Amino acid sequence: MSLPLTPIFWLAIALIAVSQVAILRSTVRAMRGATSASARRGIEWAYAIVPAVALVVALAATWQSTRTHATRLDLEARASQTSAP
Amino acid sequence: MTAPAVAQRAPSLARDLIALTKPRIISLLLLTTLAPMYVAGTPSWSVILWTGIGGYLMAGGANAVNMYLDRDIDNVMARTKLRPIPSGRLGARAVLAFGIAIATAATWMLGHFVNVLTSALALAGFYFYVFVYTRWLKRTTPQNIVLGGAAGAFPPLVGWAAVTGRVDLASIYLFLIVFYWTPPHFWALALLKQHDYGRAGVPMAPNIWGERETIDQMLWYTVLLIALSVLPVTFGVFGLFYFASALVLGGILLRGVWQIRTLNTRGESWIPVAWRVYKYSLLYLALLFVAMGIDRHI
């Protein structure tokens, strides 16, 4: 049984995007609630943003790898069709 | 010192030295080191052995130095006041020397018997845990364990590099899985121990943001973790067995966190559920990594 890789990829990306936005919004709410100086808030915001940016970079690399893998699977499927008697 | 006194003290000292390394925590770190080795290829027994010993010593050294740096707050928290330094069984400088010594031994061992990249990654994990997490983040931000989670995410990179001699996208995903697993795992404990952390002045999320915001973030981090854990399937690292395992194991974790949120919203006690989520999160990570190893060999 083969998995529908491209739909899985985009569904996962959608869930990650929604979750990441919710985490950032929650962090903003939490910072408003907590009594802290504005400089401190800037640092807290940076702490929240850094993993999100790193994740975007990893996801971009994943998209490249997913496309390469899908192309390879496609070529293998065609090769097996043409070599079949 | 009389012979019986030495005989009585020897096992106790050995126990304390082992306790400094936090062996229970290291068992999970070792699993997340060794399982990726089987994902990366078919490692020889000597590579497994030296990576395991080196990984234990490096993580143990980091934990010992952490106990040295946190000796002031360990004395205040019920959870940690029986550790060797606050209980007076070991001197602080001896603990620091022990931690540095075994981490140095691990650096040499991994570099000599495995490869230089493995040694460098393990040492980077040590420095991240000691300086970035313990010294910098832990006492300054409620997001301490989010960014600090990177320290615990180095072992998969170490295991992967031990077999392949490089770091690639698949190994980065193993790193990310541990990184995004840390917030729901650790905040479950932080919710339960929030008064302890408050007394010690450690700004854990429940103490600074409140329970509701912390639980909301646990929920979103769990959703993110599940989505992230299935992505390696899309570029061919894992197959159907791992995909199904990741969904089932992640679904159970999500259900637990959702229960905490529901009970908290209703104003009912969520403490037993938070304990279950904390314990299950340990099992979740262990089983997920076991599933990775199995998937690559079926």
Side-chain angles (χ1 to χ4, degrees), chain B residues 121-179:
Chain B
L121 286 167
L123 191 60
F126 173 90
Y127 281 127
F128 199 95
Y129 185 63
V130 169
F131 292 108
V132 179
Y133 173 67
T134 307
R135 286 294 281 184
W136 176 17
L137 298 170
K138 185 171 180 178
R139 303 192 195 192
T140 58
T141 170
Q143 297 184 82
N144 46 15
I145 58 94
V146 179
L147 294 168
F154 273 89
L157 296 180
V158 170
W160 193 275
V163 177
T164 64
R166 64 177 196 271
V167 170
D168 55 28
L169 188 62
S171 60
I172 287 170
Y173 263 88
L174 306 187
F175 174 94
L176 288 172
I177 286 169
V178 181
F179 181 83

Side-chain angles (χ1 to χ4, degrees), chain A residues 3 5 8-9 12 15-16 19-20 22-23 26-27 29-30 34 40 44 47-48 51 55 58-59 61-62 65-66 69, chain B residues 136-137 140-143 147 169 173 176 180 208-209 213 217 220-221 223-224 227-228 231 233-236 240 243:
Chain A
L3 291 163
L5 300 182
I8 290 173
F9 175 85
L15 284 172
I16 288 169
S19 306
Q20 191 61 71
I23 288 164
S26 167
T27 305
R29 273 201 311 269
R40 186 75 236 159
E44 292 294 337
Y47 289 157
L55 189 56
L59 294 177
T62 308
S65 296
T66 300
H69 180 61
Chain B
W136 176 17
L137 298 170
T140 58
T141 170
Q143 297 184 82
L147 294 168
L169 188 62
Y173 263 88
L176 288 172
Y180 282 100
I208 305 298
W209 295 345
E213 214 62 70
Q217 290 225 11
W220 289 115
Y221 271 109
V223 174
L224 201 159
L228 200 70
L231 274 177
V233 172
T234 66
F235 56 97
L240 186 61
F243 180 71

Side-chain angles (χ1 to χ4, degrees), chain B residues 71-148:
Chain B
R71 62 194 185 281
D72 55 333
I73 55 173
D74 280 354
N75 204 21
V76 179
M77 294 171 68
R79 192 169 72 89
T80 53
K81 68 181 177 189
L82 292 177
R83 285 176 176 175
I85 298 178
S87 61
R89 297 197 303 279
L90 289 177
R93 286 188 178 181
V95 168
L96 177 64
F98 172 72
I100 292 172
I102 61 173
T104 306
T107 307
W108 175 80
M109 197 178 283
L110 290 168
H112 189 74
F113 294 111
V114 187
N115 59 51
V116 174
L117 180 62
T118 304
S119 177
L121 286 167
L123 191 60
F126 173 90
Y127 281 127
F128 199 95
Y129 185 63
V130 169
F131 292 108
V132 179
Y133 173 67
T134 307
R135 286 294 281 184
W136 176 17
L137 298 170
K138 185 171 180 178
R139 303 192 195 192
T140 58
T141 170
Q143 297 184 82
N144 46 15
I145 58 94
V146 179
L147 294 168

